[in-house]
Amino acid sequence: MKAVQIFNNTHHLCNPKRTLLATALAAVTLQASAAELSTDPGDMVALPAGTGLGVFYYQHAERDKVNVDGHSVPTKFGLNSDIMVARYVEWMDVGGYTITPQIIVPFGRLKQSAPQNEEASGLGDPLVGSMIWLINDPVNERWLNVGGFVGVPVGKYDADQGGINIGSNRWKGVLQTGYVQAIIPHKLYGEVTFEYDMYDKNDDFLGKTLRQDNIFETTLHLRYAVNDRNQVGLTYYHTVGGENHLDGLAQDDGLNTKRYMVTWQNLVTPKTQAQFQFGRDLDVTNGPKEKLRLQFRLTHVF
């Protein structure tokens, strides 16, 4: 990976340069998806002003292939990630609107086992921002919010390791909006989130300049309240965009990824919720394909 050069722009799957580039940029795609603020079922329901949330996330994901133009690259590939996130959210009332200033700090490890061994660990790029609820109607069980976040490039980064980094050496911005509507009052909810991610240039990616196009993600949740303590959910994610450009040369590797997650949420105590999730990629046009994703979240109300 460290000896990657810049190559002609070809669609031929078996072209060795195209294959090498696909593996070199695979983790960049992973970095981009890790930067997304993918929501979980129930995240877009407003809580009372004055509430503080401390949230801890753990995610384990395994990938054993890279796709190019919808086809598996004919080379061995292995990339596992163990990512943790610490998040603090404060619910406030400003001018009659609910807002949630927050900070999100990721850290963890990436380990690539093929086509060669690479590993990175440490602090990622923190995100700071807020959501604001334009509709906060608990009586009719409907909520609408919008918000924005900025990713600050202070995470650990080694230019010689290219995409195998916890930090990304670039600023990023995230715009997000979500809507929740009860389908069956107090029982079944439909939720949709739209996210738009923007990236600054990384001016030192294997000694070259990397620019990535913006990414758009749509998330659909179906959430069912089993009882006062338990909820289950089914989520579908669709991510597009994110083509990479190395020294100005487009790599024809834009995302078109479909993924699902199954969620169980349990109120362990009146102020603590545990969440368990599993899922995988359904279809990947370009980039690493997840064969397994396991996630755990612990949320405590202050």
Side-chain angles (χ1 to χ4, degrees):
M1 181 176 296
K2 296 180 181 179
V4 171
Q5 302 298 315
I6 304 304
F7 330 98
N8 55 5
N9 196 12
T10 173
H11 294 269
H12 197 281
L13 178 62
C14 295
N15 184 301
K17 292 181 178 180
R18 175 82 160 133
T19 300
L20 181 60
L21 181 60
T23 57
L25 290 174
V28 177
T29 303
L30 172 63
Q31 283 180 338
S33 66
E36 296 161 8
L37 289 174
S38 298
T39 61
D40 294 323
D43 280 2
M44 295 303 176
V45 174
L47 298 181
T51 303
L53 289 184
V55 190
F56 173 79
Y57 302 80
Y58 169 72
Q59 177 200 104
H60 172 78
E62 300 176 2
R63 308 156 189 85
D64 60 1
K65 65 174 63 175
V66 176
N67 285 0
V68 173
D69 299 332
H71 303 281
S72 181
V73 171
T75 187
K76 289 185 178 180
F77 181 80
L79 179 62
N80 292 351
S81 60
D82 291 280
I83 303 298
M84 290 153 281
V85 176
R87 185 174 192 170
Y88 183 75
V89 185
E90 184 71 29
W91 298 77
M92 305 171 61
D93 185 284
V94 177
Y97 290 95
T98 298
I99 67 170
T100 54
Q102 54 192 284
I103 182 168
I104 303 163
V105 182
F107 54 99
R109 184 180 79 151
L110 298 175
K111 182 174 178 58
Q112 179 174 290
S113 57
Q116 66 184 56
N117 292 323
E118 293 278 8
E119 187 172 334
S121 62
L123 181 71
D125 296 336
L127 293 104
V128 293
S130 181
M131 305 296 293
I132 179 171
W133 270 255
L134 303 179
I135 297 176
N136 184 0
D137 185 1
V139 174
N140 296 301
E141 295 188 286
R142 62 191 187 107
W143 295 267
L144 171 67
N145 65 8
V146 297
F149 297 82
V150 175
V152 184
V154 296
K156 186 177 179 182
Y157 181 78
D158 183 345
D160 291 334
Q161 291 198 177
I164 305 297
N165 273 288
I166 296 295
S168 61
N169 193 41
R170 60 184 180 180
W171 290 85
K172 47 187 165 276
V174 178
L175 299 176
Q176 194 176 75
T177 182
Y179 181 71
V180 181
Q181 176 68 63
I183 300 171
I184 300 175
H186 312 302
K187 276 295 181 182
L188 184 64
Y189 300 86
E191 309 175 6
V192 58
T193 303
F194 300 106
E195 183 175 315
Y196 191 67
D197 302 325
M198 300 158 284
Y199 303 93
D200 193 13
K201 293 179 180 179
N202 177 349
D203 59 5
D204 194 6
F205 180 84
L206 297 170
K208 302 182 183 298
T209 297
L210 170 70
R211 181 179 66 81
Q212 189 168 29
D213 288 348
N214 300 337
I215 288 177
F216 182 77
E217 181 175 74
T218 301
T219 304
L220 301 174
H221 301 292
L222 193 63
R223 175 169 55 97
Y224 181 74
V226 179
N227 52 43
D228 291 342
R229 297 185 58 182
N230 294 279
Q231 297 187 105
V232 293
L234 180 63
T235 301
Y236 172 78
Y237 302 90
H238 189 189
T239 307
V240 296
E243 181 179 12
N244 290 293
H245 304 256
L246 284 171
D247 281 351
L249 182 63
Q251 301 305 317
D252 193 28
D253 62 348
L255 300 174
N256 189 354
T257 301
K258 303 174 181 67
R259 175 167 55 91
Y260 80 91
M261 295 292 290
V262 176
T263 300
W264 171 45
Q265 299 172 340
N266 174 258
L267 198 62
V268 182
T269 75
K271 290 190 174 184
T272 304
Q273 183 198 67
Q275 174 178 279
F276 304 89
Q277 295 176 297
F278 70 89
R280 61 179 297 172
D281 286 335
L282 295 168
D283 184 56
V284 173
T285 299
N286 290 301
K289 185 174 183 180
E290 288 185 3
K291 67 175 183 179
L292 174 68
R293 178 183 289 210
L294 300 174
Q295 296 185 163
F296 170 74
R297 185 185 78 179
L298 191 65
T299 305
H300 184 73
V301 178
F302 295 98

